[in-house]
Amino acid sequence: MDVEFKYLAPIIGVALGWLLSQLAGLFNLAREDRRIRSSTLPAMIDLYFQQKRIDHVLTYFNLKLGDSMEQLIKIFEENKADKESRASILDKLIQAFEKTRQGNLDLPDKNKESLEKSIEHAVKELSKVDAVSAYKLTRLYNEFILLIEIKFPAEEINSSVYLNTWYGLLSIYRTDLGNLRSLVFKVSRGIGLIEWLKVWMLIREAEKLLESTPTDVMDDVLKVLKPNKPIKQD
């Protein structure tokens, strides 16, 4: 028995050493995975907050547009306006809406450049540990940039076509916003439960703050942000 143990002891020692090295390797890989995910979170959270703020403005615009259309419908009914007059006035309303949207639904150039660089870095890092999530982040970012940069020819708008197109884009945007929120939580869960809880509390606090913004404050903010009219030269 002593002889057998004499020969088995080195084999057991080698096996234990191999097992410990494998466990150490797995531990290092898990730590590196968490580090990479942590490095991508700030850019993802920033993108979500930027999109959430834009969505808040969109909600405000849509409510204003809905109120204006309701008032127009009442005026049409009271004055028995013909079909051509209704279409012409609605087109002018939508033209004004599109001009306002173009003037207020964009990011300052410095913010846009900073966001682009941080998202590029996040995608590059995230692709090392989760290629699918990296692809989703790229697509969600590109869809966001498309929405804020797309410019419809305001002077050549057909109201019915525009509304169908706009509400389609808006529906996609809000679906993407929900998907981005889920992606942020997914990445934070990969770091750990405590990190997920911290991210959840941060996002909920910001969402509540946006939801509590009074309408009159939005009016004042948009007046300040409205682009200055070009100065006419004699």
Side-chain angles (χ1 to χ4, degrees), residues 161-177:
V161 175
Y162 177 89
L163 287 173
N164 288 334
T165 303
W166 174 244
Y167 284 124
L169 288 172
L170 191 58
S171 176
I172 293 172
Y173 175 75
R174 285 180 172 158
T175 299
D176 285 347
L177 184 60

Side-chain angles (χ1 to χ4, degrees), residues 2-212:
D2 291 338
V3 175
E4 291 180 359
F5 181 76
K6 177 181 178 181
Y7 290 109
L8 286 176
I11 298 175
I12 294 173
V14 171
L16 286 174
W18 177 84
L19 181 60
L20 290 173
S21 66
Q22 293 299 309
L23 290 174
L26 290 175
F27 176 79
N28 289 333
L29 285 175
R31 183 172 59 183
E32 179 66 8
D33 182 278
R34 290 193 297 271
R35 185 197 67 78
I36 290 174
R37 292 177 187 275
S38 295
S39 70
T40 66
L41 264 184
M44 295 176 66
I45 294 173
D46 182 36
L47 176 60
Y48 177 74
F49 286 159
Q50 297 285 2
Q51 290 194 223
K52 191 65 180 177
R53 283 191 285 269
I54 293 291
D55 182 62
H56 191 59
V57 176
L58 286 173
T59 300
Y60 170 84
F61 281 162
N62 287 342
L63 289 173
K64 289 291 186 180
L65 178 62
D67 291 342
S68 298
M69 293 186 71
E70 286 182 5
Q71 292 173 9
L72 280 179
I73 290 172
K74 290 180 181 179
I75 294 173
F76 292 155
E77 292 175 350
E78 291 173 358
N79 294 275
K80 298 181 180 179
D82 57 65
K83 187 176 180 180
E84 291 184 1
S85 298
R86 294 186 181 200
S88 176
I89 294 174
L90 281 174
D91 286 347
K92 290 180 180 179
L93 172 65
I94 297 303
Q95 288 170 10
F97 172 81
E98 173 59 17
K99 289 178 181 178
T100 303
R101 184 193 72 82
Q102 291 181 14
N104 291 284
L105 293 188
D106 204 350
L107 301 175
D109 290 338
K110 288 185 178 180
N111 289 28
K112 197 180 295 184
E113 290 175 7
S114 176
L115 181 62
E116 181 181 4
K117 290 179 181 178
S118 63
I119 290 297
E120 285 180 357
H121 175 74
V123 169
K124 182 179 179 181
E125 290 296 297
L126 192 57
S127 63
K128 297 176 183 178
V129 295
D130 190 344
V132 173
S133 293
Y135 164 75
K136 288 181 179 179
L137 179 58
T138 302
R139 187 188 67 78
L140 292 170
Y141 172 73
N142 289 337
E143 291 286 347
F144 171 58
I145 295 299
L146 173 64
L147 181 79
I148 63 176
E149 290 191 346
I150 191 171
K151 300 290 189 291
F152 296 105
E155 302 300 333
E156 304 174 6
I157 285 179
N158 177 285
S159 58
S160 60
V161 175
Y162 177 89
L163 287 173
N164 288 334
T165 303
W166 174 244
Y167 284 124
L169 288 172
L170 191 58
S171 176
I172 293 172
Y173 175 75
R174 285 180 172 158
T175 299
D176 285 347
L177 184 60
N179 290 337
L180 177 58
R181 190 177 191 271
S182 298
L183 185 60
V184 170
F185 286 140
K186 176 187 175 184
V187 172
S188 65
R189 281 198 305 271
I191 301 170
L193 180 60
I194 295 177
E195 190 68 20
W196 176 86
L197 184 60
K198 287 163 62 178
V199 170
W200 182 84
M201 292 174 65
L202 176 67
I203 287 179
R204 283 302 301 141
E205 183 179 354
E207 288 173 342
K208 288 179 180 179
L209 183 62
L210 279 173
E211 291 165 2
S212 64

